[in-house]
Amino acid sequence: MKLYAAPLNFRPIAAEFEIPTAFTPELHAEAAAATDKFAGQRRDAREIPLVTIDPVGSRDLDQAVCIEQKDSGYRVYYAIADVAAFIEPGSALSDESLVRGQTIYLPDEPARLHPEELSEGSASLLPDVDRPAVLWTFDLDEAGEVDNVHLERALVHSVARLDYDGVQADLDAGRMHPSIEHLPAVGKLRQESSLRRHAINLRLPSVRVEELEDGRYELQIEPRHPIMDYNSEISLLTGMAAGQMMESADTGFLRTLRPATEESEKVFRDEVHALGFAFDADMPIGEFLSVVNPDTPRGMAVQREAQKLLRGAGYVALPEKDPEVHAGIGGYYSHVTAPLRRLIDRYATEVCLAISGGYEVPSWVTEGAPAVVKSMGRTSPLANSVDRACLNLTEATVLAPWLGQNFDGVVLQTNPESAQSRIFIIEPPVLGQSLGTPEEGIETNFSLVRADVQTREVAFAWPAD
């Protein structure tokens, strides 16, 4: 699915939100000179034929996977980039990462957490080179539940850099890479496990901006391949194991999320019905979302609206009295699988290594915990705001030439007090506001009455002219 080509410039958004998009020469030099401080202390795991699966062109490769069948279950090897091996506590690189918190993905260029020398170089799990990593090993039973988990520092060697399009094509053709031939089976088992936990897993299509030869951009909404969901389940598995490990030891960092309110669930169910989906009142939301096709305009709208059920996520540093679970996951959860792109993963992984190895958590982790939680609490909402601003700019830009034109849409909600409605325009897929209060659930025409690129605002009106 493609949105209309249009000139797009996301640099003003970076400036507006004060997003640093470059590093000083000194930081580049420090990153280039950084070496593995645990060299010689690692398990040699280069015999495991790990592979990475990422979007086309990615070079900041956090994770590599290999799955073997074992008795009636599976053994999953999951290697995570060992960023802590390259960054000295108290160094300029460490201080800069505390400021940035996480990589913020503007569509045309990411504002990276670490300089490219690390994030796309020595710390990235690139193919055909030896790399330091934290290796998680999971033994799963026949239902996909965890029998045993272990992690350690290791030296690994990725044998291939795969991408989602290619792996999905291989899956469809029945010729999966041997290292991940069991990924679909394990992914499905873990999806069934998430349904048993009443988890809510969103399946949002990724959005990619491609520059055309004439300087304009084309925004492509890429299909949500099943292989993406299977691969995500391995990351979720690791985060749950880490969260449970930390909660049991009463130390570390948890990602928390309170359950959706009854009111927000009711609003979501009403919107789903308005979009034309049958949604039984007794069906858990996670089960419903698992069968909604996100590659259709209405299915995409459902997945986007479900994001409102997962608002209010946060981070806590343990010990904490009665720590909350992550309601979207259905259990304790921690971020440990993306240290190249998220600050807290580097710290949380170090806690898990200490718990697994039976030694004290390093002082730089415990002493830095308040600053890390504060950084993530500041930059996570910032990243969300930047995402919304980029989406709003894109919608305003591609719709601006069509001011006054009519578009087919569905009424999700009406508010008689404000004389406005929340609507979903089918093509291009836009969630927005309309003047007027047509009946909820109907499909009708709306006139585009505002598409302001400067303010990034789009508005429609009903009845259409």
Side-chain angles (χ1 to χ4, degrees), residues 218-240:
E218 186 173 65
L219 195 65
Q220 293 196 356
I221 301 172
E222 299 179 326
R224 180 72 189 187
H225 295 311
I227 200 66
M228 295 177 177
D229 298 318
Y230 302 151
N231 195 45
S232 293
E233 287 294 338
I234 307 303
S235 180
L236 292 171
L237 165 69
T238 309
M240 289 191 68

PDB file of all heavy atoms in Angstrom, residues 218-240:
ATOM      1  N   GLU A 218       8.170   8.970  -1.066  1.00  0.00           N
ATOM      2  CA  GLU A 218       6.993   8.122  -1.148  1.00  0.00           C
ATOM      3  C   GLU A 218       6.923   7.316   0.144  1.00  0.00           C
ATOM      4  O   GLU A 218       7.893   6.660   0.532  1.00  0.00           O
ATOM      5  CB  GLU A 218       7.093   7.199  -2.354  1.00  0.00           C
ATOM      6  CG  GLU A 218       5.853   6.374  -2.598  1.00  0.00           C
ATOM      7  CD  GLU A 218       5.954   5.622  -3.905  1.00  0.00           C
ATOM      8  OE1 GLU A 218       6.830   4.749  -4.014  1.00  0.00           O
ATOM      9  OE2 GLU A 218       5.159   5.909  -4.814  1.00  0.00           O
ATOM     10  N   LEU A 219       5.790   7.399   0.819  1.00  0.00           N
ATOM     11  CA  LEU A 219       5.620   6.696   2.086  1.00  0.00           C
ATOM     12  C   LEU A 219       4.983   5.347   1.823  1.00  0.00           C
ATOM     13  O   LEU A 219       3.861   5.273   1.323  1.00  0.00           O
ATOM     14  CB  LEU A 219       4.744   7.512   3.028  1.00  0.00           C
ATOM     15  CG  LEU A 219       4.762   7.098   4.496  1.00  0.00           C
ATOM     16  CD1 LEU A 219       6.133   7.318   5.099  1.00  0.00           C
ATOM     17  CD2 LEU A 219       3.720   7.854   5.279  1.00  0.00           C
ATOM     18  N   GLN A 220       5.698   4.284   2.107  1.00  0.00           N
ATOM     19  CA  GLN A 220       5.200   2.935   1.876  1.00  0.00           C
ATOM     20  C   GLN A 220       4.810   2.288   3.194  1.00  0.00           C
ATOM     21  O   GLN A 220       5.583   2.293   4.152  1.00  0.00           O
ATOM     22  CB  GLN A 220       6.255   2.078   1.171  1.00  0.00           C
ATOM     23  CG  GLN A 220       6.557   2.527  -0.241  1.00  0.00           C
ATOM     24  CD  GLN A 220       7.293   1.447  -1.010  1.00  0.00           C
ATOM     25  OE1 GLN A 220       7.633   0.396  -0.470  1.00  0.00           O
ATOM     26  NE2 GLN A 220       7.533   1.694  -2.279  1.00  0.00           N
ATOM     27  N   ILE A 221       3.603   1.768   3.230  1.00  0.00           N
ATOM     28  CA  ILE A 221       3.133   0.999   4.374  1.00  0.00           C
ATOM     29  C   ILE A 221       3.341  -0.471   4.031  1.00  0.00           C
ATOM     30  O   ILE A 221       2.680  -1.031   3.169  1.00  0.00           O
ATOM     31  CB  ILE A 221       1.656   1.302   4.677  1.00  0.00           C
ATOM     32  CG1 ILE A 221       1.485   2.806   4.965  1.00  0.00           C
ATOM     33  CG2 ILE A 221       1.176   0.481   5.868  1.00  0.00           C
ATOM     34  CD1 ILE A 221       0.054   3.233   5.092  1.00  0.00           C
ATOM     35  N   GLU A 222       4.316  -1.065   4.697  1.00  0.00           N
ATOM     36  CA  GLU A 222       4.728  -2.408   4.328  1.00  0.00           C
ATOM     37  C   GLU A 222       3.834  -3.458   4.980  1.00  0.00           C
ATOM     38  O   GLU A 222       3.311  -3.258   6.078  1.00  0.00           O
ATOM     39  CB  GLU A 222       6.178  -2.630   4.750  1.00  0.00           C
ATOM     40  CG  GLU A 222       7.140  -1.666   4.073  1.00  0.00           C
ATOM     41  CD  GLU A 222       8.565  -1.887   4.511  1.00  0.00           C
ATOM     42  OE1 GLU A 222       8.765  -2.251   5.695  1.00  0.00           O
ATOM     43  OE2 GLU A 222       9.462  -1.712   3.689  1.00  0.00           O
ATOM     44  N   PRO A 223       3.661  -4.577   4.316  1.00  0.00           N
ATOM     45  CA  PRO A 223       2.838  -5.646   4.885  1.00  0.00           C
ATOM     46  C   PRO A 223       3.399  -6.134   6.221  1.00  0.00           C
ATOM     47  O   PRO A 223       4.612  -6.120   6.442  1.00  0.00           O
ATOM     48  CB  PRO A 223       2.920  -6.762   3.821  1.00  0.00           C
ATOM     49  CG  PRO A 223       3.336  -6.079   2.565  1.00  0.00           C
ATOM     50  CD  PRO A 223       4.200  -4.928   2.990  1.00  0.00           C
ATOM     51  N   ARG A 224       2.502  -6.550   7.099  1.00  0.00           N
ATOM     52  CA  ARG A 224       2.911  -7.129   8.372  1.00  0.00           C
ATOM     53  C   ARG A 224       3.030  -8.636   8.162  1.00  0.00           C
ATOM     54  O   ARG A 224       2.066  -9.387   8.296  1.00  0.00           O
ATOM     55  CB  ARG A 224       1.887  -6.810   9.467  1.00  0.00           C
ATOM     56  CG  ARG A 224       2.245  -7.396  10.842  1.00  0.00           C
ATOM     57  CD  ARG A 224       3.408  -6.672  11.476  1.00  0.00           C
ATOM     58  NE  ARG A 224       3.879  -7.357  12.672  1.00  0.00           N
ATOM     59  CZ  ARG A 224       4.797  -6.860  13.490  1.00  0.00           C
ATOM     60  NH1 ARG A 224       5.336  -5.681  13.250  1.00  0.00           N
ATOM     61  NH2 ARG A 224       5.198  -7.537  14.548  1.00  0.00           N
ATOM     62  N   HIS A 225       4.233  -9.085   7.800  1.00  0.00           N
ATOM     63  CA  HIS A 225       4.439 -10.494   7.511  1.00  0.00           C
ATOM     64  C   HIS A 225       4.276 -11.348   8.771  1.00  0.00           C
ATOM     65  O   HIS A 225       4.700 -10.938   9.860  1.00  0.00           O
ATOM     66  CB  HIS A 225       5.841 -10.727   6.946  1.00  0.00           C
ATOM     67  CG  HIS A 225       6.090 -10.084   5.620  1.00  0.00           C
ATOM     68  ND1 HIS A 225       5.217 -10.203   4.560  1.00  0.00           N
ATOM     69  CD2 HIS A 225       7.128  -9.320   5.169  1.00  0.00           C
ATOM     70  CE1 HIS A 225       5.704  -9.560   3.520  1.00  0.00           C
ATOM     71  NE2 HIS A 225       6.854  -9.008   3.865  1.00  0.00           N
ATOM     72  N   PRO A 226       3.738 -12.543   8.654  1.00  0.00           N
ATOM     73  CA  PRO A 226       3.689 -13.447   9.811  1.00  0.00           C
ATOM     74  C   PRO A 226       5.054 -13.684  10.436  1.00  0.00           C
ATOM     75  O   PRO A 226       5.173 -13.823  11.654  1.00  0.00           O
ATOM     76  CB  PRO A 226       3.112 -14.738   9.221  1.00  0.00           C
ATOM     77  CG  PRO A 226       2.264 -14.275   8.074  1.00  0.00           C
ATOM     78  CD  PRO A 226       3.003 -13.104   7.488  1.00  0.00           C
ATOM     79  N   ILE A 227       6.112 -13.706   9.605  1.00  0.00           N
ATOM     80  CA  ILE A 227       7.442 -13.985  10.153  1.00  0.00           C
ATOM     81  C   ILE A 227       7.872 -12.884  11.120  1.00  0.00           C
ATOM     82  O   ILE A 227       8.645 -13.134  12.060  1.00  0.00           O
ATOM     83  CB  ILE A 227       8.475 -14.155   9.016  1.00  0.00           C
ATOM     84  CG1 ILE A 227       9.704 -14.914   9.515  1.00  0.00           C
ATOM     85  CG2 ILE A 227       8.856 -12.817   8.401  1.00  0.00           C
ATOM     86  CD1 ILE A 227       9.448 -16.342   9.894  1.00  0.00           C
ATOM     87  N   MET A 228       7.371 -11.660  10.928  1.00  0.00           N
ATOM     88  CA  MET A 228       7.685 -10.580  11.864  1.00  0.00           C
ATOM     89  C   MET A 228       7.138 -10.903  13.253  1.00  0.00           C
ATOM     90  O   MET A 228       7.804 -10.675  14.270  1.00  0.00           O
ATOM     91  CB  MET A 228       7.086  -9.260  11.373  1.00  0.00           C
ATOM     92  CG  MET A 228       7.661  -8.736  10.084  1.00  0.00           C
ATOM     93  SD  MET A 228       6.804  -7.218   9.576  1.00  0.00           S
ATOM     94  CE  MET A 228       7.735  -6.771   8.100  1.00  0.00           C
ATOM     95  N   ASP A 229       5.918 -11.428  13.277  1.00  0.00           N
ATOM     96  CA  ASP A 229       5.307 -11.773  14.559  1.00  0.00           C
ATOM     97  C   ASP A 229       6.017 -12.959  15.215  1.00  0.00           C
ATOM     98  O   ASP A 229       6.220 -12.976  16.425  1.00  0.00           O
ATOM     99  CB  ASP A 229       3.824 -12.077  14.370  1.00  0.00           C
ATOM    100  CG  ASP A 229       3.057 -10.875  13.844  1.00  0.00           C
ATOM    101  OD1 ASP A 229       3.316  -9.763  14.329  1.00  0.00           O
ATOM    102  OD2 ASP A 229       2.230 -11.046  12.941  1.00  0.00           O
ATOM    103  N   TYR A 230       6.407 -13.949  14.407  1.00  0.00           N
ATOM    104  CA  TYR A 230       7.137 -15.089  14.971  1.00  0.00           C
ATOM    105  C   TYR A 230       8.461 -14.624  15.576  1.00  0.00           C
ATOM    106  O   TYR A 230       8.853 -15.048  16.667  1.00  0.00           O
ATOM    107  CB  TYR A 230       7.400 -16.144  13.898  1.00  0.00           C
ATOM    108  CG  TYR A 230       6.173 -16.689  13.218  1.00  0.00           C
ATOM    109  CD1 TYR A 230       6.226 -17.155  11.903  1.00  0.00           C
ATOM    110  CD2 TYR A 230       4.944 -16.742  13.877  1.00  0.00           C
ATOM    111  CE1 TYR A 230       5.088 -17.665  11.273  1.00  0.00           C
ATOM    112  CE2 TYR A 230       3.816 -17.240  13.250  1.00  0.00           C
ATOM    113  CZ  TYR A 230       3.894 -17.694  11.945  1.00  0.00           C
ATOM    114  OH  TYR A 230       2.779 -18.185  11.308  1.00  0.00           O
ATOM    115  N   ASN A 231       9.160 -13.744  14.856  1.00  0.00           N
ATOM    116  CA  ASN A 231      10.444 -13.252  15.346  1.00  0.00           C
ATOM    117  C   ASN A 231      10.264 -12.408  16.600  1.00  0.00           C
ATOM    118  O   ASN A 231      11.069 -12.485  17.549  1.00  0.00           O
ATOM    119  CB  ASN A 231      11.137 -12.439  14.249  1.00  0.00           C
ATOM    120  CG  ASN A 231      12.605 -12.208  14.533  1.00  0.00           C
ATOM    121  OD1 ASN A 231      13.327 -13.119  14.924  1.00  0.00           O
ATOM    122  ND2 ASN A 231      13.063 -10.983  14.334  1.00  0.00           N
ATOM    123  N   SER A 232       9.199 -11.604  16.638  1.00  0.00           N
ATOM    124  CA  SER A 232       8.928 -10.782  17.827  1.00  0.00           C
ATOM    125  C   SER A 232       8.696 -11.637  19.063  1.00  0.00           C
ATOM    126  O   SER A 232       9.021 -11.235  20.179  1.00  0.00           O
ATOM    127  CB  SER A 232       7.709  -9.891  17.586  1.00  0.00           C
ATOM    128  OG  SER A 232       7.974  -8.924  16.594  1.00  0.00           O
ATOM    129  N   GLU A 233       8.136 -12.838  18.859  1.00  0.00           N
ATOM    130  CA  GLU A 233       7.859 -13.711  20.006  1.00  0.00           C
ATOM    131  C   GLU A 233       9.144 -14.129  20.716  1.00  0.00           C
ATOM    132  O   GLU A 233       9.132 -14.360  21.927  1.00  0.00           O
ATOM    133  CB  GLU A 233       7.086 -14.954  19.550  1.00  0.00           C
ATOM    134  CG  GLU A 233       5.637 -14.679  19.182  1.00  0.00           C
ATOM    135  CD  GLU A 233       4.788 -14.237  20.360  1.00  0.00           C
ATOM    136  OE1 GLU A 233       5.176 -14.528  21.518  1.00  0.00           O
ATOM    137  OE2 GLU A 233       3.751 -13.591  20.135  1.00  0.00           O
ATOM    138  N   ILE A 234      10.260 -14.225  19.990  1.00  0.00           N
ATOM    139  CA  ILE A 234      11.523 -14.593  20.629  1.00  0.00           C
ATOM    140  C   ILE A 234      12.005 -13.452  21.523  1.00  0.00           C
ATOM    141  O   ILE A 234      12.507 -13.678  22.630  1.00  0.00           O
ATOM    142  CB  ILE A 234      12.585 -14.941  19.576  1.00  0.00           C
ATOM    143  CG1 ILE A 234      12.044 -16.005  18.599  1.00  0.00           C
ATOM    144  CG2 ILE A 234      13.853 -15.442  20.251  1.00  0.00           C
ATOM    145  CD1 ILE A 234      11.576 -17.278  19.268  1.00  0.00           C
ATOM    146  N   SER A 235      11.829 -12.226  21.056  1.00  0.00           N
ATOM    147  CA  SER A 235      12.184 -11.070  21.883  1.00  0.00           C
ATOM    148  C   SER A 235      11.287 -10.980  23.113  1.00  0.00           C
ATOM    149  O   SER A 235      11.759 -10.716  24.230  1.00  0.00           O
ATOM    150  CB  SER A 235      12.065  -9.788  21.051  1.00  0.00           C
ATOM    151  OG  SER A 235      12.402  -8.654  21.813  1.00  0.00           O
ATOM    152  N   LEU A 236       9.979 -11.211  22.926  1.00  0.00           N
ATOM    153  CA  LEU A 236       9.053 -11.192  24.063  1.00  0.00           C
ATOM    154  C   LEU A 236       9.398 -12.289  25.067  1.00  0.00           C
ATOM    155  O   LEU A 236       9.337 -12.080  26.287  1.00  0.00           O
ATOM    156  CB  LEU A 236       7.617 -11.355  23.572  1.00  0.00           C
ATOM    157  CG  LEU A 236       7.041 -10.192  22.759  1.00  0.00           C
ATOM    158  CD1 LEU A 236       5.694 -10.582  22.163  1.00  0.00           C
ATOM    159  CD2 LEU A 236       6.891  -8.955  23.636  1.00  0.00           C
ATOM    160  N   LEU A 237       9.740 -13.466  24.569  1.00  0.00           N
ATOM    161  CA  LEU A 237      10.153 -14.574  25.428  1.00  0.00           C
ATOM    162  C   LEU A 237      11.330 -14.160  26.305  1.00  0.00           C
ATOM    163  O   LEU A 237      11.345 -14.409  27.522  1.00  0.00           O
ATOM    164  CB  LEU A 237      10.534 -15.774  24.550  1.00  0.00           C
ATOM    165  CG  LEU A 237      11.317 -16.916  25.194  1.00  0.00           C
ATOM    166  CD1 LEU A 237      10.447 -17.653  26.193  1.00  0.00           C
ATOM    167  CD2 LEU A 237      11.833 -17.875  24.119  1.00  0.00           C
ATOM    168  N   THR A 238      12.311 -13.493  25.705  1.00  0.00           N
ATOM    169  CA  THR A 238      13.506 -13.083  26.429  1.00  0.00           C
ATOM    170  C   THR A 238      13.177 -12.011  27.465  1.00  0.00           C
ATOM    171  O   THR A 238      13.649 -12.061  28.610  1.00  0.00           O
ATOM    172  CB  THR A 238      14.563 -12.565  25.443  1.00  0.00           C
ATOM    173  OG1 THR A 238      14.755 -13.525  24.406  1.00  0.00           O
ATOM    174  CG2 THR A 238      15.888 -12.307  26.142  1.00  0.00           C
ATOM    175  N   GLY A 239      12.354 -11.032  27.073  1.00  0.00           N
ATOM    176  CA  GLY A 239      11.970  -9.977  28.006  1.00  0.00           C
ATOM    177  C   GLY A 239      11.184 -10.507  29.183  1.00  0.00           C
ATOM    178  O   GLY A 239      11.337 -10.022  30.323  1.00  0.00           O
ATOM    179  N   MET A 240      10.330 -11.512  28.951  1.00  0.00           N
ATOM    180  CA  MET A 240       9.571 -12.111  30.048  1.00  0.00           C
ATOM    181  C   MET A 240      10.488 -12.897  30.987  1.00  0.00           C
ATOM    182  O   MET A 240      10.339 -12.836  32.213  1.00  0.00           O
ATOM    183  CB  MET A 240       8.468 -13.009  29.496  1.00  0.00           C
ATOM    184  CG  MET A 240       7.329 -12.264  28.842  1.00  0.00           C
ATOM    185  SD  MET A 240       5.925 -13.340  28.484  1.00  0.00           S
ATOM    186  CE  MET A 240       5.364 -13.716  30.135  1.00  0.00           C
TER     187      MET A 240
END
